[in-house]
Amino acid sequence: MTGVFSLLPEGQLGLLQSPLSGAEPYGDTEDLPRYLAVGGYAPLPAPDRLLDWIADAGLRGRGGAGFPAAVKLRAVRDAPGRPVVVANGEEGEPGSVKDRWLLRHRPHLILDGLRLAAAMTGAERGFVYLSDAPSERAVRRALAERRTGLRVDVVRTEPAYVAGEETAVVRRIDGGPALPTPKPPRPFEKGIGGAPTLVANVETLARLAVLHACPDVAGAVAGAHLVTVSGGAGTAAALVEVPAGTHLKLPADLCGHGTADAVLLGGLFGGLYGSRWADLPLDHDRMTAAGGALGCGALHFLHPGDCPVAVAAEATAYLAAQSARQCGVCVSGTEALAGALTAVGRGETDDDTRDRLRRWSGQLPGRGACGLLDAAARIVATLLAHFPDRIDAHRRATCPACEAERSDDGGRFRVPVP
Ligand code: SF4
């Protein structure tokens, strides 16, 4: 099933539903009169009060790392200098469409969230950072409709896996290439023009705006997730909003993937999971405790025609091609992982290859300037942990799915925005 769906309980405000037209998701771009009619751009409460709501609700960033939003906001507010706020809409993770959908359909929700973030941090300057042309048009139209008092500029970048990483965002807005820089300093310490900078994912900002409008249900708003669901024949995707506490089974059943064999999680950041995927929680802490990562919440399901070894090889080859080639360990590490997985896929493997992959996937995480190397290592680690039988099948040349076509350019994970 493709399209846009909300699985939130009736009456709970979400990011996809239009409160004006009932439970139907927005089909077009919400303009200013419609946004004002549903309570948008409401008067600001005391900034500290809003920060307390966000902390109490437990809102986490939705760019992939899942960092507590209130902690980041306070760090920017408390750093020396006049802060800057950025709505980060550069959706580099393959298989995710949620950020572009929000920018295209609900730009005022994001600008409202940016206004609130500026109020909480004391910023007088904001940016919307993106690569998607339809999103840029929608945001520029929304900015022309509404002056929020906050000066906001739109900065366009070229799409790339690392272009949305927070230090790459700062570097690009400062006029450089959209490539990560070593940390520290992090943007909250020294960001755009040297100022403390909040780089917030657009879904985080949208949730902030809804939370401000509905403080009574703040916990439910903060706990809900937008997930992009893809996989199976073709590449069409569905965008689904799920309530807090949901397991993967719910969006999978809705979108016709209930009988899938496996799932690739988080774009490419969360790893591969086998037969027990349905019980995995859509929750950062519980996913981390289960040894994985939720990432941006994109779910790519594998069906009987999909080989997990081939998917892992394709994903790591894509990451190797997307490496910004700034950190030696990333260049050599991602290429080595991709090369070894390609060899596994061809059946050219022995116990040494498996040992090498196990060693590398344990040693490489955390050694690059951004998360790309971690993503490649996690894909390998989870393949080894959850699919030893499929690796053996390649050794014996008996993998049932290996007739499936594959490409090494990440084409499998490219999905259109519904
Ligand atoms: S880890 Fe890789 S992608 Fe990230 S900054 Fe270093 S070289 Fe670039």
Side-chain angles (χ1 to χ4, degrees), residues 63 72 84-92 99 114 126-131 153-158 160-181 183 186-188 190-193 195 197-202 205 326 369-370:
K72 203 165 165 181
V84 177
V85 287
V86 181
N88 184 7
E90 173 43 22
E91 193 164 39
D99 295 338
L114 195 63
F127 294 89
V128 180
Y129 175 81
L130 42 70
S131 67
D153 291 306
V154 179
V155 174
R156 180 105 175 252
T157 189
E158 288 301 312
Y161 189 83
V162 298
E165 195 274 341
E166 61 174 3
T167 60
V169 174
V170 167
R171 199 170 174 188
R172 174 71 189 89
I173 293 174
D174 269 341
L179 299 175
T181 55
K183 298 179 275 283
R186 290 189 171 273
F188 80 85
K190 189 167 182 250
I192 294 164
T197 300
L198 178 84
V199 180
N201 170 264
V202 293
L205 293 172
Q326 301 190 119
C370 76

Side-chain angles (χ1 to χ4, degrees), residues 162 179-181 322-328 330-331 334 367-373:
V162 298
L179 299 175
T181 55
Q322 288 285 309
S323 165
R325 307 189 81 76
Q326 301 190 119
C327 317
C330 174
V331 176
T334 50
R367 296 185 58 195
C370 76
L372 184 142
L373 184 56

